[in-house]
Amino acid sequence: MTDGPQRAGGRGAAGSPATDGAGGRGAAGSPATDGTELPKTYDPAATEERWYRTWDARGYFRAVPDAARRPYTIMMPLPNVTGELHIGHALNNGVQDCLVRWQRLRGRNALYQPGTDHASIAVHVVMDRRLAREGLTRFDLGRERFLEEAWKWREQIGQTILGQMRRLLLSCDWARTTFTMDPGYSRAVAECFIRLFRKGVIYKGKRMINWCPKDLTSISDLEVEYAEEQSTLYYVRYPGAPSRPVPPGGGGQAGGSEGIVIATQRPETILADVAVAVHPEDERYRRLVGSTVLVPIVNREVPVIADRRVERDFGTGAVKITPGHDPLDYEIGADHRLPVLIAFDPRGRITDLGGPRYEGLDRTEARRLLVEDLRSAGLLIREEPYVTNIGRCDRCKTVIEPYISDQWFCRMKDLAAPAIQAVRDGRVRFHPERWTKFFLDWMEQIRDWNISRQLWWGHQIPIWYCACGEMIASVDRPATCPKCGGAAFTRDQDILDTWFSSALWPMATLGWPGETADLQYFYPTSTLVTARDIIFLWVARMIMFGLEFRAEVPFRDVYINPTVLNIEGRRMSKTLGTGLDPLVLIDRYGADSLRFALINRCTGEQDLRFSEKMVEDTRNFANKIWNAARLVRLHLADRTPEAGAPERDAVRLAPNRWILGRLARTAGDVTAALESFEFSAACRRLYEFVWNEFCDWYLEMAKVDLAHAAAANETRHVMSWVLAQTMVLLHPVMPAITEEVWQALPHDGETIMRAPWPDASRLWADAAADAAMAEVMEIAGAIRALRAEMGLSTQSVGVSLHFGPGDRDRIETVRSYLAHLVHLDPMRLEVRGIDEHPRFGIPAPCGAGRIELHVDSPELRAKARERFAKQLASLDREQSGVMRRLDDPAFAAKAPTDIVAADRARAAALTARRETLRRYLADLAPSPPA
């Protein structure tokens, strides 16, 4: 609060910005408060560091429940504890902070919740690498010691990325920073599991899952990265079983007494084959169904079965069935009651199914040796190159193995139904809207979720096993078994999928399962900003858990930010050399510039092509703002106006009334764009207003009025107030420079963070001033264009403006502005009647009148004639070539229609330009002797 209007940066009283680093000369490099000008050069590094320290120290980021204010909450998509700031974080968090700062300015009690995720697999990858350098594995350490080392490592680097995010000027409530393995959060995760287990939503069963042989854990379908890779298709003969001859009528390569030829990409899984399948309507194999063949190498007798799921067009139309190593084979095997054999151990090595020759071999080496043996036995018919989708672990990039394992699962259908309905009825809205269908399509086909992981770092599953076989769900070790009364328990060794715990992020950070004041006030949260690749992994699961445990959606709006690519459209990657380090860009250009460059390109597109040049351009925009602020500050000097808005009746000058109207429209446009999550539109409008309307037009015209005492006070008030309001509009995107400039101007309050958002409905526009300034800009533009056309942009020439009687007086009132805008001596800019002509004038139309450039020097006229004569000669040559093509019947008959049309359009343009040049030459002709 303030006890009166602050002048140019603060009151200077104890605790004010002038004395404690929030503005004024009390902080190194801060704006002056004594009427002196701002430093010539803007220093983003010093400004951003100083203001961020001040904001944080004063508690401007804190948010506590306040019944008198509406909450606005954003939960940061929790970065991995292993992570470092990358360009995707800069975009995602920049957008979030833009929304949070905007809502604070609108008076909302805004909470921006920070934190980090324990990232089970990612941490195991890091720790395994560290241990490998010492020749150790986690199994050498054991679970307890491994976790001790992991916690030590986390304490060393766990806050790294959050510290880096401060460089982005994020206004998070850092006192609330949460780690997903904090004690309170861990108990919330356990409580969630227990409730779902007791409800029957969570169950344990042996099913086929995705297994990573390197990380030695299951992973979900959504954590498998599929990409096309070059492979080989092996055609292998399965001989007919001697005990069951093949029925007569078969024959050839695909079947008959010699058996069946199948095609496979994975010959190493032959060791676990239990059948060969064909399509029941495939005439080539109809008579073979019910017979048996021998699995090559192992000579296991297996049946030939018929199943409609067999693709007749793949390979030979006959396929091997290996239920232990393929999801579709697993389904077929279950339906046909086939046995399940496992050829690999958890590390991807051959089991005893391989016998002495193959047992213990890695699956890759086993493939090589099996192919050699098949070839030697005459059973490898041929090999073909084959492109296929290979699934890899999204962390370590190891090829995933379909694997049958005893795992914990979460039934999803019942959880998904309310979430689907919440999106359908608009309680959760996706922006851009096309992501709604993307979400619903997946949710309607959702499968049960494998939530257990065979790792140590993470939330251990809260299930205890009694010696009697009883299974007990409990956060803490049970005292006694409810079934037998025993006290000997072992705990389930698996941990929960990281995404299971992060699904509770909007609730657990606010105290759930307790009914806390924070939870009651800040939940449901307001907006989630995230990337498209975790819509299913995270967004969907938060919605499902929020509805399950709170009967409310966890957020109202979901903004899917674009993916940042390099300027060539390639994925940003330090490894590939295509990445941009946001910290380096901040060092070079400042966080404000990086934020604006990224947010300015948040359109409705999926991808954002980005380059350093874009940040450099925004740095130039920041310099433009700074130079404008220096000009305004210089003219304020000791005659600083009040901080409040100029009264409408007190503003008489057309440029001042015009810029106030443009500010009103800008405030309305920016507000509407942010409300619609159209960040690019908001940034473009601000850029246009600051660069073009305020700096290039208004400030230039203001210089005219500032030179006249009668107009100066009004202009100082308007230009300083408009610039201060503009800084508020720009603050959500560029926090530091806007605070610095705002502090240097008349203002109420101690920080721009608590200034009121400009309300377009309370601002005003003046149609007459708009029309007058539009005319000024049109005339100035026409004069500039004509001078450039004549090659006289830097020459001292006269200009006359010719308008009818009803317009002359109006044009005369803005003549001084026009002269300044086009850099002419006011005495050489005349307003004349529509019928008056100068002796040596070059005319050009302009609105309802015309302008005439006075070229009255023989030397300038001769120079201009020479210029236009050369242009005319060049134009005549080009026109001649175009017309030759158009007059050629062969060209018109054979050339593409768009090429012919383009040539015709060019010919018309050249003709028009030719007439203009001829008119110029005629106007510049020497006057005949008197």
Side-chain angles (χ1 to χ4, degrees):
M1 300 296 293
T2 179
D3 56 3
Q6 286 185 242
R7 302 296 183 98
R11 301 186 299 275
S16 73
T19 60
D20 64 3
R25 286 296 181 193
S30 61
T33 59
D34 57 2
T36 60
E37 62 181 292
L38 293 170
K40 183 176 182 180
T41 303
Y42 177 59
D43 182 352
T47 303
E48 290 170 2
E49 191 279 332
R50 170 167 43 80
W51 277 115
Y52 196 80
R53 187 177 64 249
T54 300
W55 293 329
D56 197 13
R58 291 187 171 187
Y60 294 155
F61 305 157
R62 291 285 289 132
V64 295
D66 180 354
R69 300 166 65 200
R70 291 178 60 200
Y72 181 86
T73 311
I74 284 185
M75 295 285 175
M76 175 188 290
L78 50 176
N80 287 349
V81 70
T82 60
E84 291 185 353
L85 185 67
H86 57 64
I87 203 74
H89 289 129
L91 171 65
N92 177 264
N93 292 106
V95 168
Q96 292 170 67
D97 194 55
C98 172
L99 289 170
V100 167
R101 287 180 180 272
W102 172 50
Q103 294 293 348
R104 283 200 192 98
L105 293 168
R106 301 180 92 186
R108 302 282 289 275
N109 187 12
L111 166 61
Y112 188 6
Q113 169 70 51
T116 53
D117 188 81
H118 61 279
S120 297
I121 295 179
V123 169
H124 272 264
V125 170
V126 171
M127 294 300 296
D128 287 347
R129 288 174 184 162
R130 288 164 56 97
L131 292 171
R133 289 195 290 268
E134 302 174 26
L136 299 172
T137 70
R138 61 183 167 114
F139 300 102
D140 295 320
L141 270 65
R143 185 172 193 141
E144 186 175 342
R145 175 74 188 285
F146 175 86
L147 290 176
E148 289 177 2
E149 294 299 317
W151 274 107
K152 288 179 184 177
W153 172 84
R154 186 265 170 182
E155 292 302 318
Q156 293 172 359
I157 63 91
Q159 300 297 313
T160 299
I161 191 169
L162 296 182
Q164 293 172 340
M165 284 181 170
R166 291 171 181 260
R167 297 283 307 280
L168 273 173
L169 310 180
L170 303 185
S171 57
C172 300
D173 187 344
W174 298 109
R176 291 176 175 268
T177 301
T178 302
F179 177 51
T180 52
M181 284 175 61
D182 286 343
Y185 199 104
S186 293
R187 293 189 75 86
V189 173
E191 179 68 21
C192 169
F193 180 97
I194 291 168
R195 291 189 188 187
L196 293 177
F197 173 76
R198 289 174 177 168
K199 192 175 179 180
V201 175
I202 287 178
Y203 66 94
K204 193 171 188 180
K206 189 180 287 290
R207 292 174 52 180
M208 180 163 283
I209 45 87
N210 300 299
W211 182 264
C212 177
K214 186 174 187 300
D215 294 328
L216 297 178
T217 182
S218 64
I219 63 173
S220 76
D221 295 343
L222 297 173
E223 294 170 297
V224 181
E225 293 180 346
Y226 288 94
E228 285 192 344
E229 298 185 24
Q230 188 65 48
S231 182
T232 302
L233 202 58
Y234 301 93
Y235 289 78
V236 180
R237 185 183 308 283
Y238 282 52
S243 60
R244 298 186 186 179
V246 175
Q253 181 175 303
S257 61
E258 294 182 351
I260 296 181
V261 174
I262 62 93
T264 180
Q265 302 170 57
R266 305 191 67 201
E268 65 275 19
T269 63
I270 284 174
L271 301 171
D273 286 351
V274 296
V276 170
V278 298
H279 194 280
E281 296 175 2
D282 194 330
E283 292 296 336
R284 296 172 294 176
Y285 304 114
R286 188 187 296 269
R287 292 187 220 175
L288 296 177
V289 175
S291 67
T292 59
V293 293
L294 294 178
V295 177
I297 303 298
V298 296
N299 292 321
R300 181 185 305 114
E301 187 173 345
V302 298
V304 178
I305 63 173
D307 194 285
R308 292 188 176 278
R309 287 165 284 193
V310 174
E311 296 180 27
R312 284 181 281 183
D313 296 334
F314 174 76
T316 65
V319 296
K320 60 198 268 327
I321 301 299
T322 319
H325 296 281
D326 183 89
L328 180 58
D329 289 6
Y330 183 76
E331 294 177 9
I332 292 174
D335 291 346
H336 290 267
R337 298 184 179 180
L338 297 172
V340 177
L341 302 179
I342 307 296
F344 307 146
D345 71 6
R347 295 182 181 275
R349 298 175 302 202
I350 303 299
T351 64
D352 58 3
L353 279 181
R357 181 161 176 78
Y358 307 109
E359 185 176 2
L361 291 179
D362 178 77
R363 55 186 171 159
T364 304
E365 177 61 19
R367 175 182 296 188
R368 185 192 64 78
L369 187 56
L370 266 160
V371 169
E372 287 183 5
D373 291 347
L374 288 167
R375 187 179 292 115
S376 299
L379 298 174
L380 183 62
I381 306 304
R382 68 180 186 275
E383 302 172 46
E384 292 179 355
Y386 187 71
V387 176
T388 187
N389 272 328
I390 300 293
R392 294 181 179 272
C393 173
D394 68 347
R395 288 296 174 189
C396 68
K397 311 309 176 187
T398 300
V399 174
I400 287 299
E401 192 63 49
Y403 201 66
I404 295 174
S405 176
D406 204 18
Q407 300 282 340
W408 288 95
F409 294 89
C410 186
R411 302 184 198 277
M412 302 305 290
K413 289 291 185 183
D414 290 345
L415 291 176
I420 291 171
Q421 186 57 42
V423 172
R424 287 195 184 283
D425 63 25
R427 280 176 286 156
V428 177
R429 300 176 294 267
F430 281 86
H431 311 272
E433 200 277 333
R434 67 174 180 274
W435 295 110
T436 301
K437 184 177 185 303
F438 183 75
F439 172 87
L440 292 174
D441 286 349
W442 182 79
M443 289 288 284
E444 287 166 355
Q445 303 298 321
I446 199 166
R447 298 191 299 176
D448 285 0
W449 172 18
N450 170 207
I451 60 173
S452 51
R453 300 291 179 265
Q454 290 64 55
L455 301 171
W456 296 341
W457 174 257
H459 298 104
Q460 193 169 353
I461 287 177
I463 291 291
W464 303 82
Y465 302 99
C466 178
C468 73
E470 182 72 358
M471 185 188 298
I472 304 166
S474 175
V475 174
D476 303 308
R477 173 185 288 273
T480 58
C481 173
K483 182 179 179 181
C484 71
F489 298 100
T490 57
R491 187 169 183 176
D492 196 297
Q493 294 298 293
D494 288 353
I495 64 167
L496 287 163
D497 177 10
T498 298
W499 295 105
F500 185 92
S501 53
S502 62
L504 295 170
W505 185 244
M507 300 185 298
T509 47
L510 298 175
W512 185 88
E515 197 59 34
T516 65
D518 278 349
L519 188 63
Q520 292 176 357
Y521 182 77
F522 289 112
Y523 188 93
T525 68
S526 306
T527 307
L528 178 71
V529 180
T530 189
R532 64 178 183 261
D533 55 350
I534 56 174
I535 290 176
F536 308 142
L537 284 164
W538 191 43
V539 181
R541 291 163 179 172
M542 284 191 288
I543 297 173
M544 287 187 276
F545 279 22
L547 289 166
E548 173 69 16
F549 295 115
R550 295 290 299 166
E552 281 189 284
V553 295
F555 30 72
R556 304 298 187 189
D557 293 286
V558 181
Y559 176 72
I560 304 299
N561 60 250
T563 300
V564 187
L565 307 176
N566 72 0
I567 201 65
E568 289 82 25
R570 299 174 64 196
R571 180 174 61 88
M572 288 275 189
S573 167
K574 292 182 181 178
T575 304
L576 298 175
T578 58
L580 289 174
D581 186 336
L583 296 175
V584 171
L585 295 176
I586 290 172
D587 288 340
R588 289 177 183 165
Y589 307 105
D592 278 341
S593 293
L594 176 60
R595 286 168 60 120
F596 189 96
L598 287 166
I599 297 171
N600 183 37
R601 286 162 180 83
C602 276
T603 64
E605 300 300 319
Q606 293 186 18
D607 297 325
L608 181 164
R609 295 195 178 196
F610 195 70
S611 71
E612 183 172 346
K613 175 66 165 55
M614 296 171 182
V615 192
E616 183 180 351
D617 290 344
T618 305
R619 189 268 313 274
N620 296 338
F621 178 51
N623 288 338
K624 185 85 167 180
I625 295 169
W626 187 252
N627 290 334
R630 291 185 70 242
L631 175 66
V632 172
R633 178 71 189 185
L634 180 65
H635 284 285
L636 294 183
D638 293 329
R639 297 177 295 279
T640 302
E642 294 298 310
E647 295 292 335
R648 182 168 188 161
D649 293 341
V651 181
R652 295 182 172 83
L653 299 170
N656 289 337
R657 296 180 73 82
W658 171 76
I659 196 64
L660 287 167
R662 299 314 298 164
L663 173 67
R665 290 185 176 88
T666 300
D669 291 344
V670 172
T671 301
L674 292 177
E675 286 175 339
S676 302
F677 299 92
E678 295 174 357
F679 298 98
S680 179
C683 290
R684 285 198 308 270
R685 186 68 191 93
L686 285 165
Y687 186 96
E688 177 187 357
F689 177 75
V690 171
W691 195 291
N692 297 326
E693 296 173 347
F694 185 77
C695 294
D696 288 355
W697 290 107
Y698 172 70
L699 286 184
E700 289 303 313
M701 290 186 282
K703 290 175 184 177
V704 176
D705 292 324
L706 288 167
H708 299 87
N713 286 337
E714 174 189 315
T715 300
R716 277 194 291 268
H717 191 182
V718 170
M719 72 178 185
S720 61
W721 187 79
V722 168
L723 182 57
Q725 292 298 293
T726 304
M727 291 302 97
V728 177
L729 290 171
L730 189 57
H731 177 74
V733 187
M734 303 179 77
I737 191 172
T738 53
E739 179 80 91
E740 187 85 341
V741 170
W742 187 83
Q743 293 286 350
L745 300 170
H747 60 266
D748 289 327
E750 61 184 21
T751 174
I752 195 173
M753 286 184 62
R754 294 180 176 174
W757 182 255
D759 184 350
S761 67
R762 297 186 179 183
L763 302 175
W764 51 270
D766 184 331
D770 282 354
M773 290 303 101
E775 191 169 44
V776 166
M777 288 183 272
E778 180 184 19
I779 295 171
I783 294 172
R784 291 168 180 169
L786 187 56
R787 290 181 72 179
E789 175 84 337
M790 303 298 294
L792 300 174
S793 295
T794 60
Q795 302 292 332
S796 177
V797 294
V799 175
S800 55
L801 311 177
H802 297 261
F803 285 86
D807 300 323
R808 289 182 61 181
D809 292 344
R810 185 180 70 255
I811 301 299
E812 183 65 42
T813 63
V814 296
R815 187 170 64 86
S816 59
Y817 301 127
L818 281 166
H820 182 77
L821 289 169
V822 297
H823 306 294
L824 286 178
D825 182 339
M827 300 301 294
R828 304 207 66 184
L829 180 64
E830 305 169 347
V831 182
R832 296 183 174 184
I834 194 73
D835 297 326
E836 296 183 54
H837 293 270
R839 183 178 180 188
F840 298 115
I842 304 298
C846 182
R850 72 178 187 277
I851 60 173
E852 291 191 1
L853 196 65
H854 302 180
V855 189
D856 42 17
S857 158
E859 293 79 12
L860 290 180
R861 294 172 68 80
K863 185 177 179 180
R865 280 182 58 82
E866 180 182 0
R867 172 189 176 92
F868 290 131
K870 288 180 179 178
Q871 290 183 17
L872 184 60
S874 175
L875 183 149
D876 285 343
R877 288 192 295 272
E878 182 181 357
Q879 188 176 39
S880 177
V882 173
M883 294 309 298
R884 274 198 305 272
R885 285 196 301 275
L886 290 174
D887 291 339
D888 182 355
F891 174 76
K894 296 179 181 179
T897 55
D898 58 332
I899 298 297
V900 176
D903 269 2
R904 285 175 178 159
R906 181 60 181 157
L910 290 170
T911 298
R913 176 63 178 165
R914 190 169 182 273
E915 292 305 312
T916 299
L917 292 176
R918 285 185 174 278
R919 178 168 55 82
Y920 285 163
L921 287 169
D923 289 336
L924 291 166
S927 178

